[in-house]
Amino acid sequence: MPFRTAESRRRFRPGVPARVAGLVAVLVAALTLSGCLKQSDQHTADGRLDVVAGFYPFAYLAEQIGGDHVAVRNLTKPGAEPHDLELTPSQVGAVSKADLAIYEKGLQPAVDAAVAQNKPKAALDTATVVHLEDHGDLGEGDAHSADPHVWLDPVDFAKIADAVSAELQRIDPAHAADFQAKQSALDGELRTLDADYRAGLAHCQRQDIVTSHAAFGYLAERYGLVQVPIAGLSPDDEPSAAHLAKIQDLIKTKGVTTVFFETLASPKTARTLAADTGTKAAVLDPIEGVKDPSKQDYLSIMRDNLAALRSALGCS
Ligand SMILES: [Zn+2]
């Protein structure tokens, strides 16, 4: 059965007397509510699966694995910051119509609410795929919250890719082989990336990374680094003067050469800290959004990050 929009339902029988049409409308509404009126499995006009993603890393996975069989909408605009995202009514509408919503519960409360209230046909909460850890001692406010930044660990990200692939295969079994093949290729890339991080960070003069916000806990843990975040789990957590003083001390005692800032959040505090301590300021991108996805993607940014880390830590 072809997919019928609400609009086409309204105008599908102009010749029928009003009372009958009204009754039909009530029946259609009741059947839709009870789930008996089966709509097509594939929701977009051209037959592709309609996938919404909370922010860039999940949109990237859906595009890489779904290929031509999916139409992906990233709820966080390119260049915008995903923490505390607000959704427009049209974005909430997109969630309600989606064949699949990919999100991480706890990272974007507006997306959590839109998924809970609007019931897309399927939803994948990536926090159920990878165990979220409490990285503790993050300085300000959220010292004991679950850290959402799992996508920065290529090993965890590969597990999420696997879950996205499984979900796409379940929803659209006709294209399962394609999803499987694309996920295998991506898995190979992520394994190579992990191997390059291991090798690239194995012999370094320093381990401490001063970051703009506490986004690199999983990455630090995976590769034996120590994260010293200026802000907490969200970039807009303001650091206190006492916290900044503590980081200044640490920069001196540990011989830190670089204070990292981000592409999306304001670099002001990081730059000031770098200037005050006579260190360099450099970009370490938490990949929470990408300004121009035609020029950069998850893999290229992860490689830029590795180069930045190797340079800051004096790795051979
Ligand atoms: Zn973050």
Side-chain angles (χ1 to χ4, degrees):
M1 184 197 282
F3 171 69
R4 209 186 270 146
T5 62
E7 199 184 338
S8 71
R9 264 184 233 128
R10 273 199 299 280
R11 55 182 160 71
F12 77 130
R13 49 189 66 218
V16 180
R19 264 184 63 196
V20 178
L23 185 63
V24 168
V26 168
L27 274 172
V28 167
L31 287 168
T32 304
L33 280 174
S34 69
C36 294
L37 188 73
K38 280 272 184 297
Q39 295 182 338
S40 163
D41 287 330
Q42 295 181 347
H43 206 113
T44 58
D46 58 7
R48 291 185 294 168
L49 286 179
D50 187 349
V51 180
V52 297
F55 72 123
Y56 174 78
F58 302 154
Y60 172 80
L61 288 183
E63 279 164 0
Q64 293 296 307
I65 298 165
D68 295 338
H69 306 307
V70 298
V72 180
R73 181 197 283 236
N74 180 357
L75 294 173
T76 309
K77 293 190 311 267
E81 213 284 310
H83 290 274
D84 304 324
L85 171 80
E86 306 279 349
L87 294 181
T88 65
S90 99
Q91 288 180 312
V92 174
V95 171
S96 73
K97 282 185 287 206
D99 295 305
L100 173 63
I102 308 170
Y103 70 115
E104 184 182 318
K105 205 179 239 176
L107 177 65
Q108 299 177 287
V111 177
D112 298 353
V115 170
Q117 289 158 22
N118 294 281
K119 304 263 181 285
K121 290 200 193 73
L124 174 62
D125 170 11
T126 61
T128 64
V129 178
V130 175
H131 175 68
L132 297 187
E133 290 169 25
D134 170 4
H135 284 123
D137 195 25
L138 297 175
E140 305 291 310
D142 51 15
H144 293 286
S145 321
D147 180 353
H149 302 91
V150 283
W151 59 91
L152 291 167
D153 174 353
V155 178
D156 280 346
F157 197 55
K159 289 181 197 156
I160 297 173
D162 192 50
V164 169
S165 173
E167 197 58 12
L168 289 174
Q169 291 180 51
R170 187 184 69 76
I171 297 168
D172 184 6
H175 298 119
D178 286 355
F179 299 142
Q180 184 65 60
K182 286 198 150 60
Q183 187 240 321
S184 295
L186 179 61
D187 197 64
E189 303 257 29
L190 292 172
R191 279 170 196 275
T192 305
L193 182 70
D194 173 48
D196 291 349
Y197 262 78
R198 275 180 205 288
L201 297 172
H203 305 287
C204 306
Q205 291 163 26
R206 294 169 291 275
Q207 277 81 42
D208 294 270
I209 53 169
V210 176
T211 66
S212 183
H213 84 286
F216 297 89
Y218 294 92
L219 184 142
E221 194 174 274
R222 176 72 62 192
Y223 303 111
L225 309 179
V226 178
Q227 175 179 236
V228 182
I230 298 170
L233 287 170
S234 176
D236 41 284
D237 298 335
E238 286 287 322
S240 65
H243 182 64
L244 283 172
K246 218 170 100 184
I247 296 178
Q248 290 206 6
D249 281 351
L250 189 136
I251 287 172
K252 281 177 205 134
T253 55
K254 301 271 185 179
V256 170
T257 62
T258 309
V259 174
F260 287 113
F261 64 95
E262 299 174 10
T263 42
L264 301 180
S266 164
K268 195 166 162 263
T269 312
R271 284 190 181 285
T272 306
L273 188 60
D276 289 351
T277 52
T279 53
K280 243 175 69 181
V283 170
L284 194 62
D285 191 332
I287 323 185
E288 299 189 343
V290 170
K291 279 199 177 113
D292 185 353
S294 71
K295 295 208 176 84
Q296 289 182 296
D297 68 8
Y298 176 86
L299 291 170
S300 75
I301 298 171
M302 284 297 282
R303 293 199 172 279
D304 290 346
N305 282 349
L306 176 57
L309 289 168
R310 282 175 50 77
S311 159
L313 300 176
C315 308
S316 55

